[in-house]
Amino acid sequence: GGPAGLTAAIYLGRAGVETKVYDPAVPGGMVFMVHQIENYPGFPDGISGRELAAKMEAQAKRFGAEIVQVGVKKVYREDKEFKLDLTDHQELMARAVVIATGSNPRSLGIPGEQELLGRGVSYCATCDGNFFRNEDVAVIGGGDSAVQEALYLSQICKTVYLVHRRDQLRAKKILEQRAADRENLRFQLNSLPQEIIGKDQVEGLKIMDKDRGKEQILKVTGVFIYVGMKPETDPVKGLVELNPDGFIKALENTRTSVPGIFAVGDVRGKPTRQVASAVADGCNAALAIEEYFLEYR
């Protein structure tokens, strides 16, 4: 039900393919939670995630796609078709399946994280960084994603604290060097996040020096968390091939290791996780499905 799945439904419905979109939540996926999207083409003044999701849902329905507020527990291969075991105890047969279940950021599990989500706590600097222009922020994590997003934030924020629990970053050396060269990017290594502080908005991040046990509070208005992503692959685990990080291995045309199953959006192993790239996946999947139907009549 996110941008990738709804785009696939739009294209398939328009092509006259009977299409059902299964999602136990409100259509829109993670986008539904984004306050303002400013980098999606066609909306120069930006658009809320909720409004964009509603427009995509309406467009899919206009072309005949059926939105079903039910989840899919498991997908089974039966000859050239697939059986879907649904959460309402029903079953469905399908000629092709698009897996658009997305992924969720791994949480730290510290006080204030969930309470201040969307009010200074974010898992996407590209999405929300502009709201913290000329302010002090913290990025938690030490991998490539954390350092890349810290570099991005350092261009628009006053000070960026890069907080990592080890004494060395895990990111590529070239990224680490770029970060070290930024005067307003400060490393906080060997530091464990303890609490995100604030009442209605983020006001600070409490960290503890892992070696000395000393605590300090970084006065920041934004906390960006990058401690990994967890792809939602349960429906097809054991059926399609996954990469070492647990994401579905799929070609650029979204075809997986199983003919007839296609992976789109954040559940697919790829470097970019944006609304625009999810929409591209949805389009590619629909076209690939039409080709697949010609191959397996």
Side-chain angles (χ1 to χ4, degrees):
L6 289 174
T7 300
I10 289 168
Y11 274 77
L12 288 167
R14 192 168 181 269
V17 178
E18 183 183 354
T19 305
K20 295 180 186 291
V21 179
Y22 285 93
D23 194 324
V26 177
M30 292 291 289
V31 165
F32 190 84
M33 300 170 61
V34 179
H35 173 66
Q36 188 79 355
I37 299 171
E38 296 183 327
N39 59 356
Y40 188 69
F43 299 94
D45 297 323
I47 184 172
S48 73
R50 181 172 298 195
E51 186 180 358
L52 182 61
K55 287 179 180 292
M56 288 182 171
E57 179 188 3
Q59 196 169 0
K61 287 180 176 178
R62 178 191 165 202
F63 290 117
E66 182 182 350
I67 312 292
V68 186
Q69 209 163 1
V70 170
V72 176
K73 290 194 292 186
K74 203 72 180 172
V75 177
Y76 301 93
R77 188 176 187 179
E78 294 195 356
D79 195 18
K80 292 182 180 179
E81 290 193 327
F82 301 93
K83 182 178 75 172
L84 278 64
D85 184 9
L86 308 177
T87 55
D88 65 353
H89 308 295
Q90 301 295 313
E91 292 180 350
L92 174 80
M93 297 301 297
R95 290 182 62 198
V97 179
V98 178
I99 304 298
T101 44
S103 60
N104 294 311
R106 296 186 189 276
S107 64
L108 289 168
I110 61 175
E113 181 178 6
Q114 291 304 312
E115 293 86 346
L116 294 169
L117 180 62
R119 292 183 288 171
V121 174
S122 173
Y123 300 92
C124 180
T126 311
C127 308
D128 301 327
N130 199 49
F131 297 112
F132 302 89
R133 188 172 290 275
N134 299 320
E135 298 181 14
D136 297 331
V137 301
V139 174
I140 300 175
D144 287 350
S145 294
V147 177
Q148 285 172 334
E149 299 295 72
L151 286 167
Y152 166 76
L153 288 167
S154 70
Q155 300 176 73
I156 58 177
C157 296
K158 183 180 176 182
T159 305
V160 178
Y161 297 97
L162 185 56
V163 180
H164 185 44
R165 60 192 176 93
R166 295 194 175 99
D167 59 359
Q168 289 185 337
L169 299 177
R170 294 183 293 106
K172 294 182 179 69
K173 289 299 179 184
I174 187 170
L175 292 174
E176 184 176 354
Q177 186 57 54
R178 286 175 184 169
D181 291 341
R182 294 284 171 90
E183 291 184 3
N184 65 334
L185 206 164
R186 302 176 185 176
F187 292 178
Q188 292 283 344
L189 302 179
N190 268 333
S191 297
L192 298 174
Q194 300 295 296
E195 181 183 359
I196 299 172
I197 299 167
K199 187 176 180 182
D200 298 317
Q201 295 285 329
V202 169
E203 298 172 9
L205 172 67
K206 182 187 290 185
I207 60 174
M208 182 181 71
D209 185 292
K210 198 167 70 170
D211 294 332
R212 296 181 296 168
K214 184 179 178 181
E215 292 185 339
Q216 67 169 308
I217 295 176
L218 304 176
K219 292 184 178 180
V220 295
T221 57
V223 176
F224 295 85
I225 300 169
Y226 293 95
V227 292
M229 298 291 290
K230 181 183 178 184
E232 298 295 331
T233 57
D234 285 350
V236 289
K237 261 184 185 167
L239 182 59
V240 301
E241 190 175 352
L242 307 179
N243 70 16
D245 294 322
F247 292 87
I248 297 176
K249 291 181 70 174
L251 302 173
E252 193 63 28
N253 63 8
T254 74
R255 291 192 178 213
T256 69
S257 58
V258 176
I261 295 185
F262 304 80
V264 300
D266 286 359
V267 77
R268 180 170 83 88
K270 58 178 184 174
T272 307
R273 307 196 183 281
Q274 294 288 303
V275 178
S277 60
V279 166
D281 275 0
C283 170
N284 288 339
L287 300 178
I289 286 172
E290 290 187 68
E291 293 176 359
Y292 170 75
F293 283 167
L294 293 175
E295 295 171 11
Y296 293 90
R297 285 183 175 177

